[in-house]
Amino acid sequence: MTFFNISQTFLKHRVRHWSANCQWTRSLAVSHTLFPCRGLSTDGSTPRPQISEDSIEVFSHVHPRDDMTNVTAKILSTVGSQLHNRPHHPLWLIKEHIKDHFYRSYIGRTGNPLFSVHDNLSPVVMVEQNFDSLLIPPDHPSQKKVDNYYLNCTHMLRAHTSAHQKELVRSGLDRFLLAGDVYRRDEIDSDHNPVFHQMEGVRLFSNHELFARVKNGEELSLFESAGRRTPQKQETHTLEAVKLVEFDLKQALTHLMRHLFGEDRNPIRWVDCYFPFTHPSFEMEVRFQGDWLEMLGCGVMEQELLCSAGAGNKMGWAFGLGLERLAMPLSKNPLLFSDISFWLPAEGYTENDFYDLERSIGGDLVREELLSSNLILFSYSPRTKRVSHCYRVVYRHMERTLTQEEMHIIHGAIEQAAEKELRVQGRY
Ligand code: PHE
């Protein structure tokens, strides 16, 4: 089970393609500002995204199409639905629980909450924010076109809330939480969805803050000059500073999980991992239904990122957690399964076509409920020389029990559409 391998750690194991044309256009696009999703919500006042032959319009910004454009009308129709801001929606509830925990645990001298919360930043970001600002090089596998939704070569739907780290640090914030919808173009399964939600957290420390509680702390320093990068630390950091920041990070997240799951329920464990924008980096896994479920990625922020954001005199930690992931152990609603199998056309079919189609049929399900699917069987008929695929589709309503009848209606629609649109031949 991977929060990060397939969809979530789009930062690992990927191979990438950039069109030559895009490379230089991108470097021209240097400026960006924080722009909130103005009036996106439910009052109907936001113009709906428009896809035309030569442009894509989202939130009143027109993005000319180019050879990177791969965002679909269906995905665009989910942009701006802001489930995490819809009162009483399960994702909103989880977000509120997390906010609540941080508000109560980190209080300033005058009783003010120390973490600010940002949950209304536009999911349309510059490619530069999503990748370069986080030190993810242009040739990094995670930038692959097939795994992201690009509006064009300069703009995309954010693939993670980390896309906003740098701009928020630059705006002077030392502690913040950030919730938002994120988009990754890959298969849907019980752990992955093309649209999901993340909560990012960042905390920065000055020299004084970090060592204030340590005996003779004033003699200690965050930075050293001739240091070396090791598996434990970055070259510019002292080991003692890293250990304290790491301890604070793990403690903050362990307390958060206890707050969400209750004492002694769902054991957790830490796994070392890699992200281009943190070092050292970790994943937290939570025990759920006999498995270890990856819940979040985190680590000590790369100093180069902080320097470029104007906070080079501080050190920090960051985490990004999946809200749907958290909902899994928190949700008690049952899963329903149904299989679909068909013969593929001789050519021109890819698995992603099926996942895209499924998204478009189960549109509301994908957003409101957990819908997932996995290729579970692959067979070949030597007689007809045809290949067949069988997918297991998993349905779950996040708020209540989905009935068999409701599931059959959606499943039937997927079967029909597959035949019609993908030129497959059903085996049902
Ligand atoms: N942005 C990472 C992801 O989505 C998670 C992460 C956030 C890791 C912050 C480290 C720090 O895969």
Side-chain angles (χ1 to χ4, degrees):
M1 297 252 225
T2 51
F3 180 62
F4 298 110
N5 288 0
I6 306 174
S7 85
Q8 315 251 13
T9 328
F10 69 112
L11 299 164
K12 298 181 194 165
H13 349 280
R14 297 273 161 103
V15 192
R16 148 233 184 228
H17 313 280
W18 263 114
S19 68
N21 166 5
C22 199
Q23 192 74 314
W24 70 268
T25 325
R26 227 176 117 203
S27 56
L28 290 179
V30 280
S31 71
H32 66 266
T33 45
L34 264 186
F35 69 100
C37 328
R38 278 166 286 120
L40 298 182
S41 41
T42 42
D43 64 0
S45 61
T46 322
R48 298 205 61 77
Q50 305 284 336
I51 290 204
S52 73
E53 231 167 68
D54 43 33
S55 70
I56 288 163
E57 188 178 334
V58 202
F59 309 149
S60 314
H61 287 261
V62 178
H63 303 273
R65 275 175 174 274
D66 60 26
D67 52 3
M68 280 303 275
T69 308
N70 66 355
V71 69
T72 61
K74 189 67 211 173
I75 285 293
L76 276 179
S77 74
T78 68
V79 171
S81 56
Q82 300 231 51
L83 301 182
H84 58 289
N85 288 337
R86 219 181 262 180
H88 310 297
H89 189 278
L91 296 173
W92 172 85
L93 261 173
I94 295 174
K95 183 193 78 177
E96 291 300 306
H97 276 311
I98 299 173
K99 265 168 67 174
D100 198 53
H101 171 74
F102 275 86
Y103 278 166
R104 277 199 259 157
S105 312
Y106 299 90
I107 305 166
R109 267 189 237 123
T110 55
N112 55 308
L114 293 175
F115 276 79
S116 56
V117 179
H118 308 262
D119 52 17
N120 200 26
L121 296 177
S122 172
V124 177
V125 298
M126 295 195 55
V127 175
E128 192 271 335
Q129 284 170 279
N130 197 81
F131 297 117
D132 311 39
S133 81
L134 292 157
L135 314 172
I136 304 169
D139 61 351
H140 191 276
S142 64
Q143 302 210 13
K144 216 171 141 190
K145 185 171 167 184
V146 292
D147 295 323
N148 296 288
Y149 287 106
Y150 287 92
L151 271 61
N152 57 26
C153 67
T154 55
H155 287 82
M156 64 188 293
L157 298 178
R158 68 184 159 214
H160 54 169
T161 44
S162 303
H164 302 285
Q165 272 187 19
K166 182 171 162 184
E167 65 202 280
L168 289 176
V169 170
R170 176 164 286 293
S171 72
L173 297 172
D174 274 353
R175 300 176 181 88
F176 58 86
L177 296 173
L178 164 80
D181 37 338
V182 300
Y183 300 79
R184 294 190 196 167
R185 185 171 184 262
D186 52 17
E187 73 199 78
I188 309 178
D189 64 25
S190 58
D191 305 319
H192 307 112
N193 208 319
V195 185
F196 57 100
H197 296 75
Q198 286 189 329
M199 185 97 161
E200 191 90 3
V202 165
R203 177 174 187 186
L204 305 188
F205 299 88
S206 65
N207 209 99
H208 171 73
E209 264 174 294
L210 190 66
F211 296 120
R213 277 171 296 158
V214 178
K215 197 162 167 241
N216 298 331
E218 61 286 355
E219 289 163 23
L220 300 173
S221 172
L222 298 181
F223 304 112
E224 63 184 12
S225 46
R228 269 191 323 122
R229 181 169 284 246
T230 68
Q232 282 76 38
K233 67 172 210 75
Q234 298 168 36
E235 50 280 36
T236 49
H237 294 156
T238 62
L239 190 58
E240 50 277 18
V242 173
K243 288 298 165 198
L244 284 176
V245 172
E246 186 182 320
F247 175 73
D248 191 83
L249 167 66
K250 288 182 173 171
Q251 198 183 39
L253 291 169
T254 309
H255 287 170
L256 172 65
M257 292 301 148
R258 269 197 221 134
H259 171 75
L260 295 172
F261 296 124
E263 295 287 333
D264 301 330
R265 285 191 50 211
N266 302 79
I268 60 165
R269 71 176 185 194
W270 295 100
V271 181
D272 289 338
C273 74
Y274 169 79
F275 296 104
F277 40 94
T278 51
H279 183 73
S281 304
F282 314 95
E283 284 168 357
M284 179 202 267
E285 297 184 345
V286 173
R287 191 85 183 153
F288 174 59
Q289 293 182 346
D291 253 322
W292 287 101
L293 189 65
E294 291 177 25
M295 198 52 72
L296 60 86
C298 64
V300 177
M301 293 171 82
E302 280 289 345
Q303 205 55 34
E304 192 185 330
L305 192 165
L306 289 177
C307 289
S308 70
N313 58 339
K314 298 190 174 160
M315 263 181 85
W317 54 240
F319 69 81
L321 64 82
L323 293 181
E324 278 82 356
R325 274 309 175 90
L326 265 180
M328 287 172 73
L330 291 172
S331 167
K332 291 171 197 65
N333 299 318
L335 300 175
L336 296 181
F337 301 87
S338 194
D339 294 347
I340 176 168
S341 66
F342 41 70
W343 295 109
L344 308 189
E347 54 187 34
Y349 172 91
T350 71
E351 259 174 71
N352 268 347
D353 293 336
F354 177 69
Y355 300 125
D356 274 343
L357 172 105
E358 203 179 40
R359 268 159 224 165
S360 65
I361 306 293
D364 284 340
L365 278 168
V366 171
R367 280 183 282 134
E368 309 284 355
E369 300 146 8
L370 290 184
L371 170 71
S372 58
S373 76
N374 262 327
L375 179 60
I376 54 168
L377 213 73
F378 176 93
S379 54
Y380 176 68
S381 157
R383 193 176 56 81
T384 59
K385 300 205 167 40
R386 285 197 303 176
V387 173
S388 94
H389 276 184
C390 175
Y391 297 82
R392 168 148 302 168
V393 188
V394 185
Y395 302 89
R396 177 168 69 182
H397 198 299
M398 279 175 70
E399 287 149 329
R400 59 176 174 81
T401 300
L402 189 71
T403 65
Q404 287 282 347
E405 292 70 37
E406 285 170 323
M407 182 195 72
H408 284 309
I409 293 173
I410 308 156
H411 201 76
I414 294 177
E415 287 175 342
Q416 278 184 8
E419 291 216 331
K420 211 163 120 212
E421 289 173 31
L422 304 180
R423 295 174 298 111
V424 301
Q425 192 191 338
R427 302 182 68 183
Y428 16 94

